[in-house]
Amino acid sequence: MRTDGLSHEGEIPGEADVPGEPEESAIGEEIGPGRETRDETAQREALEAAEDAEAAEDEEAAEDEEFDAAIKAIVSSGLIAGPDPSVVEDIAGQAEPSSPPEAVAEAEKIALDGAVDAVYRSILMRAPEHKVQPSLERVRQALDMLGNPERAFRSVHLTGTNGKTSTARMIEALLRERGLRTGRFTSPHLTSVRERMTIDGMAISREDFLAAWQDVEPVVELVDRRSEAGGGPRMSFFEVFTVMAYVAFANAAVDVAVVEVGMGGLWDATNVIEADVAVILPIAMDHERWLGHTIEEIAREKVGIVKPGCVVISAEQDEEAGEIIAEAARIARASLTVEGPSLHVVSRETAVGGQLVTLQTPAARYEDVPLALKGAHQARNAAIALAATEAFFGHTALAPDVVEHAFMSVSSPGRLETVRSSPTVVVDAAHNPHGAQATADALREYFPGKLTGVVGMMADKDVEGFLGVLEPVLDFVVATDIASDRAMDADELADIAGGVFGEERVVVERNLADAIDRAASLAESDDRAPMASPAVVVLGSIQLVAAARTLMGKPGADEA
């Protein structure tokens, strides 16, 4: 399309712009019959140029009208508008296309993101899971009304204190590499709520997220009314997300869903599925306020995912937790495999971007498998993931190329993830003493230089215990704030850290960007080990990790 209305041929040249053309005689001699005079030629070309310009303007106006119509169609869509149509009404006017097709696509993406955010914000207005009395009745009612979508696919269910998300990602990668269509439900998310639900390893699309909400919303409202009429609460936000996930997986016709509990197990909203395989990662102290104040109490909550006839794959546990898991398997007549002689890491060595592992499972020995995750704990998670996937396929070994391809490509954002180099900045989601120990071991192994921690934590965590595990590894701590009502104030955190590290090793920077800059300066201040590069590690809360990833320009997980 011409933007100035004139092609090169349609320009109106001056006499000096037409070399080689004979000049008209000074006395205006006549030109032969059938030929135009120079003035006539100029007039004709000017007329043609004007006509071309008018046509171009008409074409551009038509394209603008088409673009406006597309925007109106997006905005007026009931699916896009979600619960708050005003969100997209404001957005539609933002697009100023330089190229209409691309601009239409971008405007649609903006509108869809606005609609997804509006849905998310409306669900967040509901009570959190721990403030609703334990019951699966509301979730079951909603799923019954929706035709029980959770029965449309097989499932693997995961619980435990640490390692659930990484192990879920590895199991899902193995299942997908075997050719199955997969769903995965994990929490919390880092950047976009759509990360919680993945289809074939990719965050659920904006359209499919909104379609699931459109299916679920009227049912949720009906369950709310019934519950409130009986003196009960509305559905919690995690209950709603769980129902949405099961609907989305059924809509996508997945073969298998890999589902991580939100918290605990017995009364967790996800625990309405009859999973083929129940995976129990290490059980440690966390969420004591809601799950119990002893390992035994917490373990009894978590074994609630063990269903009759399923296969249980368990990480190595404390004696008390191990006995409770064995008892639950006996009662459910479920087969049980525990990390030990038939399931363990044979060997491992660090490698660029991860490690090389040899793993023993009940079905096979997998030699020299490249794993794109760091740390001895991730090697153990990989062994558990392999055993769970073998169990899903009837306790049969997996082809070596399946395992290699799955583990080479697996990722777990926010878990010992390098988000910047020069200086190196690493983020890790560890937030309790058990997780901190795994992180500390990996930091020693992969980052031998001077380390400064940027730490922010929730007030209900074992802050002193967490910092105590990290004290031998971190040279300095920069305490910072987290944008959450549940977060511990940076000054209070610094006071606790001072008691663990000594006041001379602790500083406060409330702003995260300033905290990372200060930590980098501290890490680079020591030249005693010039061959070992210093690093900054951001940890203590998944929300802090998410903020740091965004600050460092990292994209959403799974292309969300």
Side-chain angles (χ1 to χ4, degrees):
M1 182 184 73
R2 293 198 297 269
T3 58
D4 58 2
L6 299 173
S7 68
H8 176 74
E9 291 81 1
E11 291 174 356
I12 307 176
E15 293 178 4
D17 296 324
V18 194
E21 186 172 336
E23 296 183 4
E24 185 180 345
S25 69
I27 58 173
E29 65 177 328
E30 292 185 359
I31 308 301
R35 297 183 62 185
E36 295 178 324
T37 67
R38 187 177 301 277
D39 288 342
E40 289 172 338
T41 300
Q43 291 174 358
R44 176 178 55 77
E45 290 178 344
L47 181 60
E48 290 174 352
E51 291 173 347
D52 286 345
E54 184 177 355
E57 289 175 359
D58 290 343
E59 182 180 351
E60 186 172 348
E63 289 174 343
D64 288 345
E65 186 174 333
E66 179 183 354
F67 174 75
D68 291 342
I71 292 293
K72 291 177 181 177
I74 294 168
V75 175
S76 61
S77 167
L79 177 61
I80 302 304
D84 185 6
S86 65
V87 172
V88 289
E89 289 174 3
D90 294 336
I91 291 170
Q94 295 179 6
E96 294 182 4
S98 56
S99 178
E102 292 81 358
V104 169
E106 182 62 22
E108 182 175 3
K109 179 181 174 182
I110 292 171
L112 288 168
D113 281 336
V116 168
D117 184 61
V119 171
Y120 176 50
R121 286 187 284 108
S122 73
I123 297 173
L124 276 182
M125 294 175 66
R126 295 173 172 273
E129 193 77 351
H130 57 268
K131 290 190 176 179
V132 176
Q133 79 261 27
S135 171
L136 298 178
E137 185 59 29
R138 293 175 296 276
V139 174
R140 287 198 175 110
Q141 283 184 16
L143 293 171
D144 285 347
M145 294 177 193
L146 289 161
N148 296 111
E150 79 283 6
R151 299 177 187 172
F153 45 82
R154 299 172 66 188
S155 56
V156 177
H157 207 179
L158 296 91
T159 190
T161 302
N162 296 302
K164 297 186 294 296
T165 296
S166 293
T167 306
R169 284 175 165 272
M170 286 188 261
I171 293 171
E172 191 268 342
L174 290 164
L175 293 168
R176 185 160 30 91
E177 195 64 37
R178 272 289 301 262
L180 296 185
R181 184 162 171 79
T182 58
R184 185 181 74 234
F185 183 49
T186 57
S187 59
H189 60 273
L190 289 166
T191 305
S192 168
V193 66
R194 294 187 294 109
E195 297 168 21
R196 294 178 180 237
M197 310 170 200
T198 71
I199 308 294
D200 286 337
M202 305 300 293
I204 188 172
S205 70
R206 298 163 177 83
E207 294 87 347
D208 289 346
F209 179 91
L210 293 168
W213 171 247
Q214 191 174 45
D215 290 341
V216 165
E217 182 182 18
V219 171
V220 167
E221 292 175 352
L222 181 56
V223 172
D224 284 346
R225 288 197 297 271
R226 288 184 177 181
S227 180
E228 289 176 321
R234 297 197 309 157
M235 293 182 72
S236 73
F237 78 84
F238 191 72
E239 288 174 338
V240 174
F241 278 132
T242 299
V243 173
M244 283 182 66
Y246 292 163
V247 167
F249 295 158
N251 288 347
V254 303
D255 299 305
V256 55
V258 182
V259 179
E260 172 190 325
V261 302
M263 183 172 64
L266 180 62
W267 300 111
D268 188 75
T270 62
N271 200 30
V272 293
I273 52 175
E274 299 289 333
D276 298 71
V277 183
V279 178
I280 305 177
L281 281 304
I283 296 173
M285 300 301 294
D286 200 11
H287 301 298
E288 295 95 329
R289 182 176 173 185
W290 302 285
L291 300 180
H293 294 277
T294 66
I295 289 292
E296 295 94 326
E297 289 175 331
I298 295 172
R300 291 198 182 281
E301 285 291 322
K302 293 185 182 293
V303 298
I305 71 168
V306 176
K307 302 296 172 58
C310 76
V311 177
V312 181
I313 306 295
S314 174
E316 183 180 6
Q317 306 286 353
D318 289 345
E319 182 178 356
E320 299 90 339
E323 291 175 354
I324 291 169
I325 292 170
E327 177 189 16
R330 284 194 302 271
I331 293 172
R333 296 185 179 181
S335 68
L336 171 63
T337 298
V338 180
E339 185 179 2
S342 66
L343 175 59
H344 62 277
V345 178
V346 176
S347 65
R348 57 178 293 274
E349 58 183 274
T350 60
V352 176
Q355 55 192 309
L356 202 64
V357 298
T358 295
L359 307 173
Q360 179 68 55
T361 68
R365 184 185 179 104
Y366 301 89
E367 302 273 358
D368 297 330
V369 179
L371 175 62
L373 299 173
K374 298 180 179 74
H377 62 295
Q378 294 291 21
R380 295 176 65 185
N381 289 341
I384 297 294
L386 266 174
T389 307
E390 289 175 348
F392 183 83
F393 288 112
H395 301 281
T396 58
L398 304 180
D401 62 323
V402 167
V403 179
E404 182 173 319
H405 293 164
F407 283 175
M408 280 179 65
S409 62
V410 73
S411 66
S412 193
R415 279 74 181 174
L416 280 173
E417 179 188 16
T418 300
V419 294
R420 191 173 81 178
S421 57
S422 189
T424 299
V425 177
V426 179
V427 296
D428 190 79
H431 56 272
N432 55 49
H434 182 271
Q437 187 61 64
T439 298
D441 293 342
L443 289 172
R444 287 190 188 97
E445 186 175 18
Y446 287 89
F447 304 96
K450 191 171 184 180
L451 288 173
T452 300
V454 174
V455 181
M457 298 191 71
M458 297 300 168
D460 61 353
K461 298 299 179 184
D462 180 3
V463 176
E464 185 174 3
F466 179 85
L467 293 172
V469 172
L470 293 167
E471 190 276 331
V473 181
L474 300 180
D475 294 276
F476 294 97
V477 167
V478 180
T480 194
D481 285 323
I482 304 173
S484 170
D485 293 339
R486 293 176 49 219
M488 177 174 286
D489 181 81
D491 286 333
E492 182 181 353
L493 193 153
D495 287 342
I496 297 173
V500 175
F501 286 80
E503 293 182 1
E504 70 281 359
R505 293 167 62 191
V506 180
V507 297
V508 174
E509 288 286 357
R510 293 188 176 277
N511 178 273
L512 179 57
D514 293 339
I516 292 174
D517 286 343
R518 182 73 174 273
S521 297
L522 290 168
E524 293 173 334
S525 64
D526 187 1
D527 58 1
R528 290 174 297 175
M531 299 303 293
S533 298
V536 173
V537 55
V538 181
L539 72 173
S541 164
I542 192 71
Q543 288 181 239
L544 185 68
V545 165
R549 290 183 85 256
T550 299
L551 189 64
M552 297 293 110
K554 297 296 288 186
D558 306 313
E559 298 190 12

